[in-house]
Amino acid sequence: MTLHLALVAPEIPGNTGAVGRSAVAGGARLHLVRPLGFKLDDRHVKRAGLDYWQHVQPTVWPSVDAFEEELPNLGEPWFFSAEAERDLWQIDLRGPTVLIFGGETSGLPPAVRERHRDRLVRIPMSPGPIRSLNVSNAAAVALF
């Protein structure tokens, strides 16, 4: 199985470092889609990735359009959104798969959600005041 984790327009370096560390632990390839809210040599990225960051070797895409163009070659894409009606547990993750998450403050861009409405998934949560998880936690839940 080939597994990919993608962050579209991530904003917080520590979250990206944590997702990178989870990717290495889970055998997934990390993809980062510009714009990034930080530089990849940011000490916070490396600190969150600890001594694993050299193993992450993320693929950095110049834009969401360039990334979407390559999706058919990577695997079945699943876009995480709090507005999705389908739960993560309802999808088949046995083949090549791309788990795609948006930035911390606004999630995936509206145009991306609209283009891939049939591929939106959510992590089920108990009803209450929490509308979403931290992106590094969500990526870890989906990966494992």
Side-chain angles (χ1 to χ4, degrees):
M1 176 172 112
T2 305
L3 188 57
H4 302 268
L5 281 176
L7 300 178
V8 176
E11 303 164 59
I12 301 174
N15 284 337
T16 298
V19 171
R21 184 171 47 178
S22 293
V24 171
R29 180 94 180 138
L30 180 63
H31 298 261
L32 302 175
V33 181
R34 292 188 186 276
L36 308 180
F38 51 86
K39 294 181 181 180
L40 285 176
D41 62 356
D42 187 305
R43 67 180 175 86
H44 297 292
V45 175
K46 291 181 180 180
R47 190 167 103 214
L50 295 173
D51 55 343
Y52 305 105
W53 189 248
Q54 73 269 16
H55 301 290
V56 175
Q57 302 176 354
T59 300
V60 181
W61 297 91
S63 68
V64 73
D65 292 336
F67 175 66
E68 285 179 294
E69 199 172 295
E70 186 63 20
L71 278 175
N73 297 319
L74 296 175
E76 287 292 324
W78 295 102
F79 297 81
F80 285 76
S81 173
E83 70 183 39
E85 295 185 18
R86 185 183 344 203
D87 288 343
L88 169 62
W89 320 130
Q90 296 173 304
I91 62 174
D92 184 357
L93 299 172
R94 288 180 286 184
T97 303
V98 188
L99 306 173
I100 305 157
F101 300 86
E104 287 88 338
T105 58
S106 57
L108 291 165
V112 171
R113 290 194 313 267
E114 188 55 40
R115 278 194 299 275
H116 302 284
R117 187 144 303 281
D118 63 327
R119 310 290 302 169
L120 295 180
V121 294
R122 68 176 178 211
I123 295 171
M125 295 185 290
S126 296
I130 305 297
R131 64 176 169 74
S132 64
L133 296 172
N134 172 286
V135 70
S136 62
N137 292 333
V141 166
L143 175 62
F144 292 103

